[in-house]
Amino acid sequence: MQRKLVVNPSDAVPVWKQIEEGVRRLVAAGAMARGAPVPSVRELAKDLRVNPATVAKAYRRLADAGVLKVRRGEGTFVEDNPPVLRKSERRSALREGADRYATHAATLGADRDEAVKEFDTAWKDLGGDGGRP
Amino acid sequence: MQRKLVVNPSDAVPVWKQIEEGVRRLVAAGAMARGAPVPSVRELAKDLRVNPATVAKAYRRLADAGVLKVRRGEGTFVEDNPPVLRKSERRSALREGADRYATHAATLGADRDEAVKEFDTAWKDLGGDGGRP
Amino acid sequence: MQRKLVVNPSDAVPVWKQIEEGVRRLVAAGAMARGAPVPSVRELAKDLRVNPATVAKAYRRLADAGVLKVRRGEGTFVEDNPPVLRKSERRSALREGADRYATHAATLGADRDEAVKEFDTAWKDLGGDGGRP
Amino acid sequence: MQRKLVVNPSDAVPVWKQIEEGVRRLVAAGAMARGAPVPSVRELAKDLRVNPATVAKAYRRLADAGVLKVRRGEGTFVEDNPPVLRKSERRSALREGADRYATHAATLGADRDEAVKEFDTAWKDLGGDGGRP
DNA sequence: GTGGTCTAGACCACG
DNA sequence: GTGGTCTAGACCACA
């Protein structure tokens, strides 16, 4: 599992969404500890070479979602108790990704087993152990 | 595998791209035979309830990619030898999609079996039968 | 100088125009003798693998221009005295071709001398002798 | 060489193609520097008095060809390393155009000097100075 | 502000 | 009939 944020500006997925998902991932993985400060908007923007407004948008959404907490004058921090997605939200988000991958694989002419095999390889590379990564 | 094109105008992915990928799938699956005519721009547009320019864009891209062949004044046809991705390209394209889905699922806290189960559901909805479509 | 008609259906120039210009060229070069019969519409269409209507359009224009003569029930023939283009028409047609080539060369980043050199090579290959081919 | 884009809506060649070739020329000539921003779609459309979608089509094709780079929400830029045709490709592309023009001129009964003279006139109208632009 | 998508409809060239 | 081009204008996502 990567421990650092990376974004691909050429990707179809919006940059702000890549940042948002990346932060969620790092928080879930413990790479960003609860209550710990996250990089400032300007700092992260400079690191990722993106527009500060883009980072700000991701942080704002994460704050709205209760993953981050802004303390005026101090900075931005990981919430002590980052929320878990509601079941239905989580499910539909998962389904969305599954749809994308299924369409992608079918377009390439792959069959079901080949697609799953490739997924398992990718899953292992994330640092998983066959179950929860 | 579905034998008919369908598009979802509410989807985030552009309609022209849905058409392009759908045609690629049908050609790959043999549902659209080599050298055979594809529906005319206007006809398909009427079927799908979209603007002819949208279909034309998809056809144009497919012609640029060598999948379709436009004969002026006659119509649009499947190329006799639609380009097949080289094995390594196909593999890496599949892997890329698998990576995206694995990351996505991991971000949501799903485990491997849940992700595969969701993928299978999505695959079936494409019209697949569990094996080679 | 080619002695046979060839057309390129993928070219930007319409097929009927390629045929029309080809016939003019062959007549001017003497490859199609004055008063001699030209291939029938169907025959030429079969040879060139184009739609008979396309050949018919070229022949009709050539007949209108006085280059060919249709004798009903007998066939189509080269006129005994094919007309010469009026000076202004000829000039503007020449200029049009020059414009196309100049734009083409400039887009490729060629300089004037290189473009002329390439033209001279092409001209010689047509069978010319440095002057009228 | 012209330093500014101009289009002729009455010309047979599509406006989007005129724009595409014009930009290629300006980039090749260095009038549009590597990495520098090109006029925005709307701005250029206003300048040229054409529809923004027409400019967008040209830009899109140039981006696909690697000449321009689109940065979402920021604008469109000249690529740092716009692709140069390989020598042999460039040569054969030039030769192709030369062939077309030679054939065209010969069809009109022009001699070599007349054809070159007309070419020079056309070249000057592009803004050339008789040598490398 | 930027570019991308889509619609509706006109007009043209080609076969 | 076919596809291609262009316009006018709306709406969206992104930075």
Side-chain angles (χ1 to χ4, degrees):
Chain A
M1 172 66 77
Q2 71 200 18
R3 301 258 146 198
K4 203 178 165 307
L5 275 177
V6 285
V7 295
N8 173 13
S10 307
D11 196 299
V13 177
V15 176
W16 64 260
K17 200 166 195 175
Q18 295 182 45
I19 296 173
E20 182 183 342
E21 297 196 339
V23 171
R24 278 183 189 276
R25 206 155 50 240
L26 292 175
V27 168
M32 284 177 165
R34 316 224 162 152
V38 299
S40 75
V41 168
R42 290 180 186 180
E43 192 183 342
L44 185 55
K46 201 180 156 199
D47 268 18
L48 300 179
R49 311 234 183 139
V50 300
N51 192 307
T54 307
V55 176
K57 178 170 187 173
Y59 275 18
R60 183 174 50 68
R61 288 178 56 95
L62 287 162
D64 288 350
V67 174
L68 300 182
K69 171 73 181 173
V70 176
R71 297 199 210 126
R72 297 199 323 193
E74 296 187 48
T76 307
F77 302 80
V78 180
E79 275 278 9
D80 292 326
N81 277 308
V84 189
L85 287 177
R86 277 186 303 162
K87 243 185 181 170
S88 67
E89 292 171 335
R90 184 171 159 286
R91 177 69 181 274
S92 83
L94 186 58
R95 176 56 198 267
E96 197 186 311
D99 272 342
R100 267 205 299 270
Y101 181 44
T103 304
H104 186 71
T107 299
L108 291 171
D111 61 30
R112 183 266 177 195
D113 290 343
E114 196 180 358
V116 170
K117 184 161 162 276
E118 210 60 49
F119 169 79
D120 279 334
T121 308
W123 185 261
K124 286 207 188 84
D125 284 359
L126 279 182
D129 52 9
R132 183 171 299 271
Chain B
M1 177 64 64
Q2 72 200 17
R3 299 263 147 195
K4 205 180 162 305
L5 277 175
V6 285
V7 294
N8 172 14
S10 311
D11 195 303
V13 16
V15 176
W16 63 260
K17 199 166 198 174
Q18 295 181 43
I19 297 173
E20 181 182 342
E21 297 194 336
V23 171
R24 276 182 191 277
R25 269 201 302 281
L26 292 176
V27 168
M32 284 177 165
R34 314 276 164 100
V38 299
S40 80
V41 169
R42 289 169 173 83
E43 189 183 335
L44 185 55
K46 201 179 156 199
D47 269 19
L48 301 178
R49 311 270 185 98
V50 299
N51 190 292
T54 306
V55 176
K57 179 171 188 173
Y59 275 17
R60 174 62 181 209
R61 289 179 58 94
L62 288 163
D64 286 350
V67 175
L68 299 183
K69 171 79 180 170
V70 174
R71 297 200 209 126
R72 295 186 299 185
E74 294 187 43
T76 308
F77 304 79
V78 179
E79 274 281 8
D80 291 327
N81 271 311
V84 185
L85 287 177
R86 278 180 301 163
K87 244 182 181 170
S88 64
E89 292 171 333
R90 182 168 160 287
R91 178 71 180 275
S92 83
L94 187 57
R95 176 59 198 266
E96 204 179 303
D99 274 342
R100 267 203 299 271
Y101 181 45
T103 305
H104 186 72
T107 300
L108 293 169
D111 61 27
R112 184 264 176 196
D113 290 343
E114 192 181 2
V116 170
K117 184 161 162 275
E118 209 62 47
F119 169 79
D120 279 334
T121 309
W123 184 262
K124 285 209 188 79
D125 282 0
L126 278 181
D129 53 11
R132 175 162 289 279
Chain C
M1 171 65 75
Q2 69 200 21
R3 302 256 147 200
K4 204 178 163 308
L5 275 177
V6 285
V7 296
N8 173 13
S10 307
D11 197 299
V13 177
V15 176
W16 63 260
K17 200 167 197 175
Q18 295 182 43
I19 297 173
E20 181 183 343
E21 296 196 339
V23 171
R24 279 183 189 275
R25 205 155 52 240
L26 292 175
V27 168
M32 284 177 165
R34 314 220 164 157
V38 298
S40 74
V41 168
R42 289 180 188 181
E43 193 182 343
L44 185 55
K46 201 180 156 199
D47 268 18
L48 300 179
R49 310 233 184 140
V50 300
N51 190 308
T54 308
V55 176
K57 178 170 187 174
Y59 274 19
R60 183 173 52 66
R61 287 179 56 94
L62 288 162
D64 288 350
V67 175
L68 299 183
K69 172 73 181 173
V70 176
R71 297 200 210 125
R72 296 200 320 195
E74 295 187 50
T76 307
F77 302 81
V78 180
E79 274 280 9
D80 293 326
N81 277 308
V84 188
L85 286 178
R86 278 186 304 164
K87 244 185 181 169
S88 65
E89 292 170 334
R90 184 171 159 287
R91 178 69 180 275
S92 82
L94 187 57
R95 177 58 198 267
E96 197 186 309
D99 273 343
R100 265 204 300 270
Y101 182 44
T103 304
H104 185 72
T107 300
L108 291 170
D111 62 28
R112 184 266 178 196
D113 290 344
E114 196 180 359
V116 171
K117 183 161 163 279
E118 211 60 47
F119 169 79
D120 279 335
T121 308
W123 185 261
K124 285 208 187 83
D125 284 358
L126 279 182
D129 54 8
R132 182 173 300 271
Chain D
M1 179 62 66
Q2 71 199 17
R3 298 264 147 196
K4 205 180 161 307
L5 277 175
V6 284
V7 294
N8 173 12
S10 311
D11 196 303
V13 15
V15 176
W16 63 259
K17 199 167 199 174
Q18 295 181 45
I19 297 173
E20 181 182 341
E21 296 194 337
V23 172
R24 276 182 190 277
R25 268 201 304 282
L26 292 175
V27 168
M32 284 177 165
R34 315 274 165 102
V38 298
S40 79
V41 168
R42 290 168 173 83
E43 189 182 337
L44 185 55
K46 201 179 157 198
D47 269 17
L48 300 179
R49 311 267 185 102
V50 299
N51 190 292
T54 306
V55 175
K57 178 172 189 172
Y59 276 17
R60 174 62 182 211
R61 289 179 58 94
L62 287 162
D64 286 350
V67 174
L68 299 182
K69 171 80 181 170
V70 175
R71 296 200 210 127
R72 296 185 298 185
E74 294 186 44
T76 307
F77 303 79
V78 179
E79 273 281 9
D80 292 327
N81 271 311
V84 185
L85 287 177
R86 278 180 302 163
K87 243 184 182 169
S88 63
E89 293 172 330
R90 183 170 160 285
R91 179 70 180 276
S92 82
L94 188 57
R95 176 58 198 266
E96 204 179 303
D99 274 341
R100 267 203 298 272
Y101 181 44
T103 304
H104 186 72
T107 300
L108 293 169
D111 62 27
R112 184 263 176 198
D113 289 344
E114 192 181 4
V116 170
K117 184 161 162 275
E118 209 61 47
F119 169 79
D120 279 334
T121 309
W123 185 262
K124 285 210 188 77
D125 283 1
L126 278 181
D129 53 12
R132 176 162 292 278

